[in-house]
Amino acid sequence: MKWLVMFIGIMPLFLAVQGQENQPFFETAPCPFTDQPQFECGYLIVPENHAAPDGPTIRLMVAVHHTAHPNPAPDPVIFLAGGPGGRAVGSMGTSLIEQAILANRDLIYLDQRGVGFSDPNLDCVELNGLVFSPADPIHNTLKALRACRDRLAAQGIQLENYTTRQNAADIAALREVLGYESWNLWGSSYGTRLALTVMRHHPEGIRSVILDSAFPPGVNRFIEGHAASNAALDNLFEACAEDLLCDFMYPDLDQTFRRLVEMLNERPVLLSLRDPRSGAWVEYPLDGTSMAEGAAMLAASPLSAAYLPSLISDFSHQDYHQVSQIVQQLGGMILLNGLSYSVLCSEELPFALESGQADENMIALCQDWFLTSPDPVDNVPVRSEIPTLILAGQMDGITPPNWGSEAAELLSKGYFYELPGLGHGVMGDPCSVDLAAAFLDHPDGPPDATCIDRMPGLHFVIPPNATRPYARASAALFGIISCFSVIGLLRNAHAYRDPLAMKESRKLINLLPLLLSAGLIFTVIPLSSYAHKDTLRLVEIIISLTVAVQTVFAFSPDNDLMMEVLLSCPRRIYWVLLERFGIILLPQAVIATFGSLIAIHVTGETEVALTLVRWIPTMMMLTGIGSYVSLRSRSMVFGIAITLLFWFAAAFMGAALLPGHQVIKPLHYLQPFLWPFLPYAVPEDLNSTDYLLNRAVVLLCGINLLMLAVWQLRDEERLLFGTRTQKER
């Protein structure tokens, strides 16, 4: 009896302890991606099904990035990644928005259930690379998906529990186990749907919410996605038409695109792709519908949207190189997570079925994964009084701006802003970051949004292939002028050659620049820790400057030594300049050749011929600029100053003028036409055709500038000898 009484007495305590063990808890663990002290990591242990807390548990990886602020705000920010299936843990906090948050708040990363470092991981590796197997793609996809499902099910994973509702319960549990009284939610793409679901079912402790590219409950991408894609492309075409340069280079872009889609739907194009699994080349059929879907995806990113007009133009001219590269890169990156299929089959497809607008392929996919009866509340927009900032990109065809504005209408403290020129995921833009940071500090009202009015909009990139005809015309024009100038110079130089003058000129050449260039090349290159392309251009940078400075000294009107040679051996001044330039160039060429050979040896470069001569065009342009300025200004000091200034700008900042880089207005209108004239362009910046064209234009510019410099010396010749030289008299 005594034992029975004791058992009855301790039973409530036993049950309480057992119940406590079944509650979510946090288990510290080493960070799997870094050992930096500002990070603390661990696992959130939660039930796989929150409605059955006594069932199996799962482990969700959490990383807390602590702020360096001595008095941090008590309410951290938790980042909810998109996808579904996007990873969060592993970010080092280097982006603009992360740095803004970490200025005075901790930032929490959570790998959602089934994702990343969490256990279990639902990545469907069976689906990776299927884009490279175009034969019967639906059958292959379903077969691979079934294999993924069977593998996960064999591990005891209950796929129907990997949903947004369960995800939201994980978020609420994390705040409690970490002991935060309040915090802020920041969601991106699918993360915004997750954040809104947390606001609906677990609003406790939420101070504010930031939604980047909202994907709210109540919208269905399979029903509304086509209209969203078309709207994004229409915005892109309108932006191109309003841009002076884009409209000039690609007139009627929208009509070109429509015709292209129709043509591809009638007769798909076969793209040659390399299967990364087997290494074999495969033929991938691209039809108009797929082209339109891909274009909408590219328009969702400002980086790729900037190139989209040129991509469409190239494709319409049967140039498939860029498209093949994009499909190849994207196809090799696709790795789908099982969470995305569970969310699709439980929250999106069922409502599409009810409306009669479900895609047959999606139905077949979910029949293989699982089909369930949805909770009607998952399709109801969220109402809340929690302060919420909603940001959307104008060009977003994945989560279009109207989804965000509609979500804001039911949030009494919701503030919606559409950002011009941006696409899906806007937190890489400084204005978006400023809005988010201001809202986090004061979520009780709308942030100051005046920066939106100063945003430049979409910056279109005009690649070299579009302006190649202008570069060829420049090369042809400079070439014709150079031919006549050089032929005339050589004829006069041959007619009035003088061996004695050559000897006198040779004595006046300073050896210090030769020793300087040789010393720099033979010490810097062998010990170089630069990148491959930078090591190869060291010769180009060093030799071009030393030759240019030497030539300025030799050509300058205030250089008495040149006048001394001219007076001692009267003849055409053309020959004086030619002989002195030749005396400077020959030893420097020897140094450049040996330096190039060393660079080739150090880097293992295979383009030997190109590497040996690539310094010549740059040297000619820099020499021509220095000589012309010196002779025109009649000041050696000014000529050297301009030479050094141009050398520095070209060598260290010239790459910023290449297509694809942001430049200030109105320089961006000239940028597409500047690449042929950049003296320090490297082969990696341009394709082989455009790089050789660049070298030709740079060389011819230098020759013409030198000829122009020679022309400036007519006054000196006439001053010394009248209109004719001594030999002519």
Side-chain angles (χ1 to χ4, degrees):
M1 178 65 69
K2 181 173 67 173
W3 292 104
L4 179 60
V5 172
M6 290 179 61
F7 179 76
I8 294 173
I10 67 173
M11 179 59 73
L13 179 61
F14 174 77
L15 292 176
V17 173
Q18 186 183 43
Q20 183 68 29
E21 290 177 349
N22 287 333
Q23 294 299 313
F25 66 96
F26 189 77
E27 177 183 278
T28 60
C31 291
F33 61 96
T34 184
D35 57 358
Q36 295 184 10
Q38 64 266 35
F39 284 92
E40 288 188 25
C41 296
Y43 288 98
L44 172 66
I45 314 299
V46 294
E48 188 176 35
N49 181 2
H50 284 274
D54 295 331
T57 59
I58 57 177
R59 296 154 54 86
L60 310 183
M61 173 56 71
V62 179
V64 181
H65 191 166
H66 293 289
T67 175
H69 196 284
N71 298 304
D75 44 89
V77 175
I78 179 171
F79 172 60
L80 308 178
R87 303 177 61 169
V89 175
S91 173
M92 298 304 294
T94 56
S95 70
L96 291 176
I97 179 62
E98 289 170 303
Q99 288 294 302
I101 293 170
L102 289 167
N104 65 337
R105 280 182 171 82
D106 290 347
L107 181 55
I108 303 171
Y109 302 95
L110 168 70
D111 273 349
Q112 301 163 30
R113 51 175 54 210
V115 174
F117 293 111
S118 293
D119 182 21
N121 179 287
L122 270 58
D123 284 347
C124 283
V125 295
E126 294 84 353
L127 288 159
N128 196 27
L130 277 183
V131 69
F132 302 105
S133 301
D136 200 0
I138 300 302
H139 172 76
N140 290 336
T141 300
L142 294 177
K143 181 180 177 181
L145 187 69
R146 195 176 302 117
C148 178
R149 180 208 60 192
D150 292 344
R151 175 176 57 82
L152 297 176
Q155 300 174 22
I157 299 171
Q158 300 175 9
L159 296 174
E160 62 274 12
N161 290 323
Y162 291 79
T163 62
T164 304
R165 182 81 68 89
Q166 296 283 354
N167 241 343
D170 297 339
I171 304 299
L174 180 62
R175 183 186 65 83
E176 293 182 358
V177 300
L178 293 181
Y180 293 114
E181 183 178 343
S182 66
W183 66 359
N184 308 275
L185 308 184
W186 161 33
S188 176
S189 193
Y190 165 75
T192 65
R193 172 167 286 199
L194 177 55
L196 287 164
T197 304
V198 177
M199 293 166 64
R200 190 206 307 270
H201 295 292
H202 308 279
E204 305 83 9
I206 303 178
R207 173 178 174 268
S208 70
V209 179
I210 299 174
L211 305 180
D212 174 6
S213 306
F215 177 36
V219 300
N220 191 295
R221 53 182 164 176
F222 297 104
I223 298 175
E224 304 178 42
H226 184 67
S229 298
N230 286 339
L233 289 174
D234 288 340
N235 287 335
L236 179 91
F237 298 144
E238 182 179 352
C240 180
E242 293 174 353
D243 184 277
L244 179 64
L245 185 60
C246 184
D247 187 51
F248 173 74
M249 299 302 300
Y250 309 111
D252 300 321
L253 184 65
D254 55 340
Q255 298 301 320
T256 300
F257 181 75
R258 310 299 178 199
R259 289 194 298 268
L260 181 60
V261 170
E262 293 177 4
M263 179 190 73
L264 291 178
N265 278 331
E266 294 176 0
R267 186 176 181 180
V269 167
L270 295 178
L271 303 179
S272 294
L273 306 177
R274 185 181 290 276
D275 188 338
R277 300 167 302 179
S278 64
W281 288 95
V282 297
E283 298 293 331
Y284 180 85
L286 182 68
D287 59 22
T289 302
S290 299
M291 174 72 174
E293 292 174 351
M297 292 289 291
L298 294 176
S301 167
L303 293 177
S304 55
Y307 288 90
L308 195 52
S310 68
L311 185 70
I312 294 171
S313 176
D314 286 352
F315 209 103
S316 66
H317 290 93
Q318 300 182 350
D319 182 352
Y320 309 134
H321 178 69
Q322 286 192 73
V323 173
S324 297
Q325 284 188 322
I326 292 172
V327 175
Q328 183 79 52
Q329 293 172 1
L330 294 180
M333 294 168 56
I334 294 174
L335 179 61
L336 297 175
N337 182 276
L339 176 64
S340 60
Y341 292 111
S342 291
V343 170
L344 164 69
C345 297
S346 64
E347 302 172 25
E348 297 185 64
L349 184 65
F351 298 113
L353 285 170
E354 291 178 0
S355 66
Q357 300 184 54
D359 183 272
E360 292 183 3
N361 294 330
M362 293 300 104
I363 295 174
L365 183 151
C366 285
Q367 284 175 339
D368 275 355
W369 195 255
F370 71 77
L371 276 174
T372 184
S373 299
D375 187 337
V377 75
D378 289 334
N379 202 40
V380 176
V382 174
R383 295 179 180 272
S384 177
E385 296 181 356
I386 298 173
T388 305
L389 175 68
I390 305 177
L391 303 176
Q394 176 193 16
M395 302 295 175
D396 189 355
I398 301 174
T399 57
N402 64 292
W403 290 5
S405 62
E406 292 169 5
E409 292 176 359
L410 299 180
L411 304 175
S412 60
K413 297 181 181 179
Y415 312 108
F416 171 77
Y417 298 96
E418 181 177 334
L419 300 161
L422 300 186
H424 188 67
V426 301
M427 283 303 178
D429 182 80
C431 180
S432 303
V433 173
D434 289 345
L435 291 172
F439 179 73
L440 277 175
D441 290 339
H442 304 286
D444 50 341
D448 180 6
T450 55
C451 66
I452 295 179
D453 297 329
R454 299 191 297 270
M455 293 182 65
L458 189 60
H459 173 81
F460 290 101
V461 174
I462 311 298
N465 60 344
T467 54
R468 192 178 297 142
Y470 303 96
R472 288 173 174 167
S474 300
L477 177 62
F478 292 150
I480 293 172
I481 298 174
S482 298
C483 286
F484 285 106
S485 300
V486 171
I487 290 172
L489 175 63
L490 293 177
R491 287 181 60 190
N492 280 280
H494 181 267
Y496 301 103
R497 61 192 182 279
D498 191 326
L500 175 62
M502 176 70 77
K503 294 179 181 179
E504 294 299 319
S505 293
R506 187 168 61 247
K507 295 177 182 179
L508 299 175
I509 296 300
N510 196 330
L511 294 178
L512 183 60
L514 298 176
L515 296 175
L516 178 63
S517 58
L520 285 174
I521 288 176
F522 297 142
T523 57
V524 173
I525 293 181
L527 303 176
S528 172
S529 59
Y530 300 110
H532 179 93
K533 66 176 183 179
D534 292 326
T535 299
L536 290 174
R537 74 176 192 151
L538 281 173
V539 171
E540 198 173 359
I541 291 174
I542 294 170
I543 295 296
S544 61
L545 179 63
T546 53
V547 172
V549 171
Q550 277 187 279
T551 308
V552 170
F553 273 108
F555 283 22
S556 177
D558 55 1
N559 185 348
D560 292 335
L561 297 179
M562 187 182 77
M563 295 299 104
E564 179 183 332
V565 173
L566 191 62
L567 288 170
S568 62
C569 306
R571 67 226 188 274
R572 288 285 189 182
I573 202 167
Y574 298 143
W575 181 243
V576 177
L577 298 180
L578 185 62
E579 71 185 23
R580 306 207 81 187
F581 181 64
I583 291 172
I584 293 170
L585 180 60
L586 288 176
Q588 292 281 13
V590 174
I591 296 171
T593 301
F594 280 101
S596 298
L597 291 173
I598 294 174
I600 292 169
H601 175 73
V602 170
T603 61
E605 175 64 28
T606 57
E607 295 288 343
V608 176
L610 178 63
T611 305
L612 287 174
V613 301
R614 57 184 281 184
W615 59 275
I616 297 176
T618 308
M619 178 269 301
M620 291 297 297
M621 174 176 272
L622 207 65
T623 299
I625 290 173
S627 302
Y628 177 75
V629 172
S630 176
L631 291 169
R632 185 68 176 175
S633 64
R634 307 186 66 80
S635 170
M636 180 173 60
V637 174
F638 186 67
I640 292 176
I642 295 298
T643 301
L644 290 172
L645 181 63
F646 183 84
W647 171 81
F648 179 81
F652 298 100
M653 295 181 288
L657 295 177
L658 285 168
H661 293 77
Q662 293 281 357
V663 295
I664 60 174
K665 292 183 177 180
L667 187 59
H668 73 290
Y669 288 121
L670 297 176
Q671 183 189 35
F673 305 94
L674 293 178
W675 65 266
F677 303 92
L678 297 180
Y680 287 110
V682 296
E684 292 83 1
D685 293 333
L686 304 164
N687 64 37
S688 57
T689 300
D690 292 332
Y691 180 72
L692 292 176
L693 188 55
N694 164 269
R695 296 292 85 188
V697 172
V698 169
L699 175 66
L700 293 170
C701 280
I703 292 174
N704 281 279
L705 284 169
L706 276 174
M707 297 302 102
L708 201 58
V710 170
W711 189 255
Q712 293 296 318
L713 284 173
R714 290 176 304 164
D715 292 339
E716 278 73 8
E717 184 178 16
R718 289 167 180 166
L719 177 64
L720 292 171
F721 305 113
T723 57
R724 294 179 300 168
T725 65
Q726 181 177 344
K727 285 191 175 183
E728 289 177 307
R729 288 195 291 270

